[in-house]
Amino acid sequence: MSTTTTLQKAGDPTGEPGSAKPSDGLKAGLKNRHLSMIAIGGVIGAGLFVGSGGGIAKAGPAILLSYLLVGAMVVFVMRMLGEMAAASPNSGSFSAYADRALGRWAGFSIGWLYWFFWVVVLAVEATAGAKILEGWVPAVPQWGWALIVMAVLTVTNLGSVASYGEFEFWFAGIKVVAIGAFVIVGMLAVFGVLPGSDNPGAGFAHLTDAGGFMPNGWGSVLTGVLMVVFSFMGSEIVTLAAGESEDPRRAVTKATNSVIWRIGVFYLGSIFIVLTLLPWNDKSIVDKGSYVAALDSIGIAHAGQIMNVIVLTAVLSCLNSGLYTASRMAFSLGERGDAPKAFAKVSKRGVPVTAILGSVVFGFAAVYFNYTSPDTVFSFLLNSSGAIALFVWLVICLTQLRMRGILMREAPEKVTVKMWLFPYLTWATAAMITFVLGYMVYDKDNRETVMLSLLVAAVVVVIGVLRSALRRKGGVEAVADAAVDA
């Protein structure tokens, strides 16, 4: 088999560096500025703004170590994924690479699990956005706002990939500017040099003045890891979007190389500011939310409403990217014969309409169950998708272990991004992810989530293995029939 033929199977039809023309009917409608902002904003979800207070309450200032551990894990996973995506950009990303490296069953399984994760996220984020909007305009019921938000972003995604890119550019831009401003203003207040600030400007004293840096012991750091890990999901979106960009390899390389400072500034930097502005056990951090409490301590008027606008932007960004990501994964699965063929069809604008509509229908159904059966059906959907982020990262590790050898044999010149200390760091990252999953089983608050996620994953894997077996059997029979006819 020639190198060119092999790379076509991996999603790179031309073999030319920086090829901007996708092989699968999708159009290269994303500009470099779109990809840059998607890469920057991809790691900033609503979970950072809403969920960080609970982590601080559990671990105290040591929550910084939790963010550092998870951040390092994400950096390593993104480096592995960047290596594969830069060599062979593909709308199916890690699912398509798992197809080649681990087998059809693996690509099928992780692709559908990832799709499932994002369509459930659609319901979660639509509901979160609806709650904020209902507070502003109570005349429209919460379910009505959820419907409106979902409908608007569906129309956006159906228009063209450029529409998605433009919306995400501005959504992500607002998040980036907001956090950047928060870090700068907060740092000035920490040292007491912000004009008009109500904060006493205690410097770094709050990191140790309420029971020390690690008031609840090392176990709280691990508990914190479980609480913050899911706020990092989404950093891999840029590798799916790169397949529809003007210069896929350049976009992936740039995103991979910048992930360290993005996590450092937006996650570690902003949480560090919260912890230096307030003692970690200040009740307002949980009652109001960590960022609102920090802004209140500075004396910024209407901090709650300002943060609601930023959180709504993060929610809309997550919804926009979630629908895009789910539809592109469904499209890739359809193209590989692992989903209905209709999912692989694109409109004249290069948009996979059926894949988008199929994804949003499930999202609407999940929203419906969130209002009618929140403690039964929706609770099951939420819990059974909760650990899938970790499954995806683990599969990326295992895939990269095999893909490095494949790429180096067939097209070593395309391996422009390399995982550090291969294969040792890849194995260490896989071990860390496995440890986190194991600790989730041990932790009573997360046990149901990981067990239900494992159950759903097991069902999908069994289906994938059976499909692969039937395919092989059909292929053998076809070869035998051809031999008889000859």
Side-chain angles (χ1 to χ4, degrees), residues 27 36 55 65 113 133 154 304 343 351 357 396 483 485:
K27 289 190 176 180
S36 296
L65 296 180
L113 286 171
L133 290 167
T154 299
F343 281 9
V351 175
L357 294 177
I396 289 172
D485 292 340

Side-chain angles (χ1 to χ4, degrees), residues 31 43 83 86 113 138 158 215 255 261 275 283 326 330 350 369 372 391 431 465 481:
K31 298 177 180 178
V43 291
E83 176 180 299
L113 286 171
L158 286 172
W261 72 259
L275 290 165
K283 291 183 179 180
F369 287 127
T372 60
F391 298 164
V465 170
D481 289 342

Side-chain angles (χ1 to χ4, degrees), residues 67-80:
Y67 275 100
L68 183 63
L69 286 170
V70 179
M73 194 162 63
V74 172
V75 167
F76 298 150
V77 169
M78 278 298 294
R79 187 73 185 184
M80 296 176 221

Side-chain angles (χ1 to χ4, degrees), residues 17 61 96 105 109 115 168 205 211 216 222 249 263 266 284 287 292 309 318 335 358 361 389 395 400 414 433 461 465:
W105 66 271
S109 301
W115 177 88
E168 192 56 26
N216 298 322
L222 295 177
R249 290 193 180 87
I263 289 174
F266 298 129
S284 66
D287 295 341
V292 173
V309 173
C318 195
E335 209 185 25
V361 164
V395 167
Q400 192 261 339
K414 295 194 177 223
I433 296 169
V461 168
V465 170

Side-chain angles (χ1 to χ4, degrees), residues 16 37 42 53 73 75 158 170 223 238 273 420 436 449:
E16 293 300 323
M37 197 56 75
M73 194 162 63
V75 167
L158 286 172
W170 291 106
T223 302
V238 68
I273 292 298
W420 307 295
V436 172
T449 294

Side-chain angles (χ1 to χ4, degrees), residues 44 49 172-187 265-266 269-270 273 291 310:
I44 310 171
F49 300 107
I174 291 171
K175 290 188 291 184
V176 168
V177 170
I179 293 184
F182 175 79
V183 170
I184 294 170
V185 171
M187 188 59 74
V265 172
F266 298 129
S270 61
I273 292 298
Y291 289 82
I310 296 169

Side-chain angles (χ1 to χ4, degrees), residues 384 387 391 437 441 449-459:
S384 61
F391 298 164
L437 285 167
V441 176
T449 294
V450 73
M451 295 308 291
L452 283 175
S453 296
L454 283 169
L455 175 63
V456 170
V459 170

